[in-house]
């Protein structure tokens, strides 16, 4: 039985129990969320060393780190290093988006080494193998696509992105709409090419029941992809994007009826004032299914600093109810991330997720900040480092310049907190 089926029959599984303990909430809250489809626990029956993680309503906002090779760069060794950094920095899940080298070998190595839920986008492998076999992605057969999905399922992936909502109707709408950046989703682009060349419906949509059978067998969580996501602010929240979301809403219902856990992916590039609207729209159309946003990036001009544009959007999305943030690294739009990009991307997204959690009222979020405020007031530098999202960075920056007293080198002997304490006799509250 899947986690969803267990939850529906009233059983609290060990995975639900673990998630509840980790989040500091009642196990019944987790069971109920899974049963209602507002929480997912991506946990393949074939991922041996998995530490379960819950994503959804009432839980901490989660952060995903994308790793993986490209056709230009990467090997098992480079991806293992990125995986190590992502785990060290506190990512909650990892997606292997490999499109170069031995894709299966990289994925298997990642799953074997990763205690976090692992996600993939099987259309990448299916499309690339079609090039090897038939010299064109558009010549991929439906069976080849499902063989790739099954292979990845057997390997133990916990969630897969499937762009089921990229339908012929959505493509027609995209053409009528006219966009500046057209399509920026790789999976979406592969499928659009296939649909137009073959003049057939998206196989992931047409054979959705086949997909559900595989997902149910291994308890893989479906992540309904955002193939029509805007790649520029000018294309945000347009008719093509909304059409795909409407289809996804129907597919959420069908997945849940089949006992399959499901979440929904979202934009992309969005101006600040459209983020909350997008979250509300998704929550309403998809009946509260967890929302997994890719950024969102709040401006198109942050190249080299897109971990910041993504974190600004991610914080607003999380505060508005998004459940899961896909990190953005400084390398976004420019190249394949290296381990340092992974580190910066994970930390930036974790800041965004936590900022959202304070507004959402997630258990423990406000208390964490309160502890930091007290440590600052006490000038307790080691405690501040321990409470930081990146303790190593906190220690390094504090020790960069020597100081004469107990304050930091910013104000030195004129430390405001120290002066006020001396003048007014105010001391930090106990926490
Ligand atoms: S020296 Fe200035 S910046 Fe440093 S702790 Fe004191 S008030 Fe804060």
């Amino acid at each position: 039985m899947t986690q969803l089926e267990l939850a529906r029959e009233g059983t609290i599984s060990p995975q639900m129990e673990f998630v509840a303990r980790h989040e500091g909430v009642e196990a019944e809250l987790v069971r109920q969320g899974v049963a209602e489809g507002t929480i997912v626990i991506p946990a393949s029956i074939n991922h041996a060393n998995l530490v379960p993680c819950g994503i959804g309503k009432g839980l901490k906002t989660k952060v995903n780190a994308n790793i993986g090779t490209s056709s230009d760069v990467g090997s098992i060794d480079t991806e293992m290093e990125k995986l190590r950094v992502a785990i060290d920095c506190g990512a909650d899940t990892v997606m292997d988006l490999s499109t170069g080298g031995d894709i299966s070998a990289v994925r298997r190595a990642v799953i074997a080494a990763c205690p976090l839920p692992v996600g993939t986008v099987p259309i990448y492998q299916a499309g690339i193998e079609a090039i090897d076999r038939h010299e064109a992605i558009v010549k991929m057969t439906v069976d080849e696509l499902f063989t790739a999905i099954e292979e990845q399922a057997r390997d133990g992936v916990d969630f897969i992105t499937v762009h089921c909502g990229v339908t012929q109707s959505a493509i027609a709408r995209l053409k009528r709409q006219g966009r500046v950046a057209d399509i920026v989703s790789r999976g979406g682009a592969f499928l659009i090419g296939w649909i137009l060349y073959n003049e057939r419906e998206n196989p992931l949509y047409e054979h959705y029941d086949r997909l559900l059978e595989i997902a149910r067998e291994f308890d893989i969580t479906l992540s309904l992809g955002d193939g029509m996501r805007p790649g520029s602010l000018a294309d945000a929240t347009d008719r093509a994007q909304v059409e795909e979301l409407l289809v996804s809403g129907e597919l959420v219902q069908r997945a849940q009826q089949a006992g399959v856990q499901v979440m929904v992916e979202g934009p992309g590039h969005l101006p600040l004032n459209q983020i909350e609207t997008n979250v509300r729209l998704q929550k309403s159309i998809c009946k509260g299914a967890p929302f997994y946003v890719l950024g969102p990036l709040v401006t198109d001009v942050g190249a080299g600093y897109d971990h910041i544009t993504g974190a600004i959007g991610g914080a607003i999305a999380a505060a508005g109810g998004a459940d899961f943030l896909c990190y953005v690294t400084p390398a976004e739009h420019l190249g394949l991330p290296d381990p340092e990009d992974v580190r910066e991307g994970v930390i930036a997204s974790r800041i965004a997720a936590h900022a959202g959690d304070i507004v959402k009222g997630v258990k423990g979020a406000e208390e964490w900040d309160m502890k930091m405020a007290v440590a600052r007031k006490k000038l307790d530098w080691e405690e501040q480092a321990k409470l930081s999202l990146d303790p190593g960075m906190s220690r390094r920056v504090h020790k960069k310049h020597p100081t004469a007293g107990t304050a930091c080198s910013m104000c030195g002997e004129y430390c405001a907190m120290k002066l006020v304490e001396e003048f007014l006799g105010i001391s930090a509250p106990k926490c």
Side-chain angles (χ1 to χ4, degrees):
M1 285 176 100
T2 63
Q3 295 294 322
L4 176 52
E5 290 167 327
L6 288 168
R8 277 210 191 120
E9 65 155 37
T11 302
I12 294 174
S13 67
Q15 289 85 350
M16 293 172 211
E17 191 89 55
F18 182 91
V19 167
R21 244 194 341 270
H22 180 73
E23 301 271 348
V25 299
E26 295 295 318
E28 176 54 22
L29 181 143
V30 176
R31 186 207 61 78
Q32 205 178 334
V34 174
E36 289 168 357
T38 57
I39 292 176
V40 294
I41 302 178
S44 162
I45 57 167
N46 280 0
H47 190 170
N49 55 346
L50 178 71
V51 177
C53 166
I55 301 166
K57 192 176 169 190
L59 308 182
K60 291 184 194 90
T61 306
K62 303 300 185 303
V63 168
N64 173 72
N66 289 334
I67 60 170
T69 59
S70 76
S71 52
D72 291 322
V73 196
S75 63
I76 292 185
D77 289 346
T78 61
E79 301 322 297
M80 285 297 104
E81 176 58 10
K82 286 190 223 167
L83 175 64
R84 190 193 61 73
V85 172
I87 295 171
D88 271 10
C89 294
D92 298 292
T93 68
V94 167
M95 287 191 81
D96 172 22
L97 306 185
S98 290
T99 54
D102 189 339
I103 295 173
S104 296
V106 174
R107 178 179 61 255
R108 285 169 194 150
V110 168
I111 294 169
C114 186
L116 312 178
V118 175
T120 55
V121 188
I123 185 81
Y124 292 174
Q125 183 171 12
I128 288 157
E129 286 176 354
I131 295 173
D132 293 343
R133 222 173 270 138
H134 313 293
E135 292 176 351
I137 290 169
V138 295
K139 295 194 175 160
M140 172 187 74
T141 67
V142 173
D143 278 341
E144 285 166 356
L145 172 58
F146 278 91
T147 300
I149 294 171
E150 271 191 63
E151 180 189 316
Q152 301 200 4
R154 280 185 204 290
D155 285 348
V157 299
D158 303 288
F159 61 104
I160 53 172
T161 294
V162 273
H163 304 85
C164 306
V166 177
T167 58
Q168 287 178 314
S169 161
I171 296 170
R173 208 173 288 282
L174 175 81
K175 282 185 186 166
R176 287 198 296 275
Q177 171 92 46
R179 272 188 173 183
V180 175
D182 289 326
I183 294 293
V184 294
S185 154
R186 266 186 296 183
F190 283 14
L191 281 164
I192 286 173
W194 192 95
I195 292 165
L196 292 175
Y197 178 84
N198 294 287
E199 297 180 353
R200 285 178 61 187
E201 188 48 282
N202 178 349
L204 294 171
Y205 179 76
E206 196 178 352
H207 303 282
Y208 190 60
D209 288 334
R210 187 171 171 184
L211 182 62
L212 291 179
E213 269 174 44
I214 300 170
R216 189 176 168 279
E217 185 181 347
F218 298 92
D219 200 0
I220 290 174
T221 298
L222 295 185
S223 186
L224 297 178
D226 193 15
M228 295 283 174
R229 72 172 173 269
S232 72
L233 295 196
D235 299 332
T237 326
D238 70 357
R239 297 191 295 270
Q241 183 201 322
V242 175
E243 161 110 19
E244 185 184 24
L245 182 62
L246 289 171
V247 176
S248 293
E250 291 171 1
L251 298 179
V252 162
Q253 205 172 357
R254 281 176 59 190
Q256 290 170 345
Q257 280 164 356
V260 171
Q261 301 190 85
V262 61
M263 55 188 168
V264 177
E265 297 183 13
H269 289 237
L270 287 178
L272 280 175
N273 59 352
Q274 289 185 26
I275 294 174
E276 208 183 323
T277 307
N278 270 262
V279 177
R280 284 197 190 165
L281 208 53
Q282 184 275 348
K283 289 285 173 188
S284 174
I285 289 170
C286 302
K287 300 282 178 234
F291 195 24
Y292 178 19
V293 290
L294 316 177
L297 298 155
V298 295
T299 167
D300 298 340
V301 300
Y305 299 92
D306 274 328
H307 57 314
I308 296 172
T309 60
I312 294 169
I316 292 168
D323 308 280
F324 192 17
L325 307 181
C326 189
Y327 85 168
V328 178
T329 76
E332 183 76 13
H333 299 111
L334 302 172
L336 193 74
D338 64 19
E340 182 55 20
D341 295 320
V342 170
R343 193 187 71 76
E344 291 191 36
V346 172
I347 297 292
S349 283
R350 286 190 62 209
I351 293 168
H354 176 63
D357 284 349
I358 294 167
V359 177
K360 275 183 189 168
V362 167
K363 201 159 179 218
E366 252 186 42
E367 289 81 353
W368 185 3
D369 284 59
M370 177 57 92
K371 282 181 187 160
M372 177 60 101
V374 171
R376 287 215 167 111
K377 176 68 184 147
K378 288 180 178 165
L379 300 176
D380 183 341
W381 300 102
E382 186 46 31
E383 185 63 10
Q384 289 179 54
K386 282 188 196 154
L387 288 164
S388 298
L389 277 159
D390 186 346
M393 174 68 97
S394 172
R395 287 187 192 103
R396 267 196 307 282
V397 174
H398 177 61
K399 288 179 180 158
K400 209 188 293 181
H401 305 292
T403 52
T406 53
C408 81
S409 58
M410 175 72 193
C411 327
E413 59 185 295
Y414 309 112
C415 170
M417 288 201 265
K418 216 172 154 206
L419 287 177
V420 170
E421 180 148 343
E422 283 165 11
F423 290 145
L424 299 181
I426 298 169
S427 58
K430 286 197 169 50
C431 184

